[in-house]
Amino acid sequence: MSSQSMPAMDADLFGDVWNVLDSHDEKDLISAHNTLGDLDAVAKDIHSKRKHKSRTKHAKKKLDAPEPPLDAATEEKQETAKLRERRDSRLIVDTSYQGPDVKLPITQSCIDAMIEWFLSGKILHYRYVEVILGAILEQFQEASILQDISVPQGKGAKLVVCGDTHGQLYDVLTIFRLNGMPSAANVFLFNGDYVDRGPNSCEVLLLLYSLKLAYPNYIFLNRGNHEQRRVNERYSFEEEVRRKYDPHIFDVIEDSFGYLPFCSVIDSHVLVLHGGLWEYGDVSLDELRMMCKIKELPKHRDITSLDRNMKVLECALWSDPRDIVGVRPSHRGAGVEWGTDVTKDFLAMNRLSMVIRSHEMVSEGFLVQHDNQLVTIFSASYYCGTNANKGAVMQWTRPADASEEVNASSTPLAKTGLQYKFVQYLAEVDVVASKQVTNSRIHETCYHETLQKLRERVYVRRHELLLEFSKADSAHTGRVFKDAWCAAMDTGMGMQLRWPALLPYLAKVDEKGDVPYLEFLDRYHIKMDEKFTDRWRKHVVGEICGRIHAAAQDLTAAFNSMDEDGDGLVSYEEFCKTMKSYRLGLTDEQIYDMMRGLDTDGSSSISLGEFKERFSVEFDKTKGKAGDAHGDQIQVTPAPEPSSSSSSSSSDDDLVQEIARKICYGHHHPEKTLKRLFEKYAPVGHKHLTYMELVSLLTQYMPESNPEQLNTVARNVDTNHSGAISWQEFKTAFQVVDKHADSWVAPILEQLGRVIHLHRSGLMRAFRSMDLYDTHEVDEDQFKSVLAAMNMLLDHPLSEVQVKKLFHALDEDDDGQVNYTKFLAMFDVVDNKEH
């Protein structure tokens, strides 16, 4: 839909929808981890077995290669040495670095210098990052899973409880500007989720760790659900650490997360944890103290009902409160949702007065629930740049020591001798010109991000949506009334949103109030890089066409071999059986799409004419020009020689066709056959054939042709008029093509794009596990190992042939390496009404 026809943007609508979609993203993360959580390990195992097989094969052949394959142990030692050498080089602080010099023990002046350095947009040197991480790991070794904290005594003394900050450095600095730096009278508790989403996760974490080292008794840190490797890999933190530092630093940070406490208790009255409570009604503080910390929670599906320790810890990071009774499964896919009664029972059993948690963005920065016994605190204002929410912290003081002014604005917590108040802020106001400008920018960003998230979900769930729309369309009109559209979206999308309000942004409604749902579903598709798809198309089509031609001496014989019942037509069953016997690597769905492309008259069968029309050998006379973006060949007749005529030109074409047929038919790998022929007739070390050499080659297949005819063929093959024929010119001249391949290749590409798009996070993790030196590249065997692992875990969505052709299509410069970051970024869901 064009922007001119869009309704006015409803900021509240898109803010609400963004938050619902964001929580469903976390559910997708849990689901993907359940499905492909072992992808990197499986890929490594496959790759290791392939390397072992290669070594064994080499040993059996007893090759006298100058550098035989290394044994596994030697190879691992060499890789470790290279990584250590690379890391050591990064530890050298050269004269160009003008930032803070971090030494232990860390002082406030050092922290001030770090803040100034971070505000200038610069990063801390690698050496000093290692200093901080090494020291914090040592300090964390003694940390308990539950830490006890006291509100400090004295006039003006306070304990400040902070919620999620998510890499938003200005919010962290605003917290310290409003509350002061840590001290004996100014204690801080940060309640998890320091990283991901925001642009300065490294700086936020390094600042908090440095403060913890400088003031170990005055600042405390709880663990959040974003202090987990699988979450950091899905969101922005891993990418940020790799961009600013390297994979080693990321690994050390993840180790440090494993030592963070899961919860804190304030003065034996208030429990503070990131997510929330659990399904068990008898969890005590003593039980929590006895639990073992774990570096990484297992997959949600692997946490059994018998594993109470794991379930409680998962809930501590992931659960959410709701206005319900009891508990129910969480929409996040991990933890639970719990009601007021659960809060009251837990507090009563443990003689506590309040639970403080974070984990959810709330518009005011804080939210009081469950009869004032539960508080959500969230400290990242203008969250993710898409929400106009405030940030807040919770200040705890002791009434006897607080000023009258504080007493007047604070709320006492009954029978505890403590009181609290909320301090709200908008950190970004300090950075931009005005709140109004900021809100406008925030709403615009939220609008675009929300629409993109919705498009992606419509695309991913289009089959479920089609089923729901079809149920409402009993007359099979391809249209449903808008109320039925909204009901189908509720069920098919698996989420209840304000669909009537969203409808104008997603689909069109006709004058009768009907929504053409087929048109709506067709709007959203995977857009891929055109250069890549063109290369992939040529690789795959060439492979498929070559296999078809290799099966018989001519097209009629190939067709007749498919037509088992001899009725002159090839049915779907016959076609499917033949394609599978060719080992083309196509799924049943892909073969069906291919069949539909061949069946031009819609008869559900293929005639000999349709078959020949599609799989003919052609001579490409483009004279150096590439085919169009769809892979069809442009037929350009070359300028005739003075002695030539149109009839002789036509006979030359026939001759080329006949030569191509004789070369290609009966060979399982036509391109390899062509390559062997080319190398056989080209002089050793030469990359071109002379006209005379090509004529000699062609004479082998057409001995009855006269030399003049074959010379004419040679001139036509020489498309750049260089006087010699390159391998590319030779291959292009005698290749097998499908002139209308798009009709069946497009669905295969769509399936490829869908699989990669859905699992790009898991694939990225697996590729990175292969990329020891952080080059963003993998070789062919590593690439195949990762895709083979995905095939194993997802029941083979891509065939070996497709994976092989995919790699070669990506390897633009034929150096045997592909950039996996660029590859995974190629697949994006778009609205074809806007493209």
Side-chain angles (χ1 to χ4, degrees), residues 361-380:
M361 190 277 290
V362 285
S363 60
E364 294 300 312
F366 70 92
L367 180 65
V368 181
Q369 297 171 273
H370 293 185
D371 297 336
N372 298 321
Q373 291 183 309
L374 176 74
V375 170
T376 295
I377 195 80
F378 194 84
S379 301

Side-chain angles (χ1 to χ4, degrees), residues 18 83 233 237 252 260 327 402 418 421 468 485-486 488 504 626 634 751 771 782 823:
W18 188 94
L83 288 171
E233 290 170 341
F237 185 49
V252 177
L260 286 170
V327 297
L418 302 175
K421 71 173 182 178
E468 296 302 321
W485 182 88
C486 294
I634 303 172
Q751 187 217 20
D771 181 17
Q782 291 170 328
F823 163 57

Side-chain angles (χ1 to χ4, degrees), residues 228-285:
Q228 294 186 90
R229 178 181 287 271
R230 72 170 184 263
V231 180
N232 301 149
E233 290 170 341
R234 167 63 176 82
Y235 291 95
S236 60
F237 185 49
E238 182 185 21
E239 185 62 38
E240 181 185 336
V241 177
R242 281 174 170 261
R243 184 178 70 252
K244 294 177 178 178
Y245 300 105
D246 68 3
H248 170 69
I249 294 296
F250 179 70
D251 288 341
V252 177
I253 289 174
E254 292 299 326
D255 283 344
S256 74
F257 289 162
Y259 292 102
L260 286 170
F262 275 71
C263 50
S264 302
V265 174
I266 301 173
D267 278 314
S268 302
H269 295 301
V270 180
L271 175 69
V272 185
L273 73 177
H274 182 75
L277 302 183
W278 26 78
E279 62 194 81
Y280 308 109
D282 59 347
V283 177
S284 67
L285 294 184

Side-chain angles (χ1 to χ4, degrees), residues 786-816:
V786 171
L787 272 294
M790 184 183 74
N791 275 341
M792 185 182 300
L793 297 173
L794 295 179
D795 194 23
H796 299 85
L798 301 177
S799 70
E800 290 185 16
V801 171
Q802 291 169 358
V803 171
K804 176 183 177 182
K805 296 304 177 183
L806 178 59
F807 179 86
H808 290 293
L810 291 167
D811 186 14
E812 297 181 63
D813 53 7
D814 294 323
D815 67 346

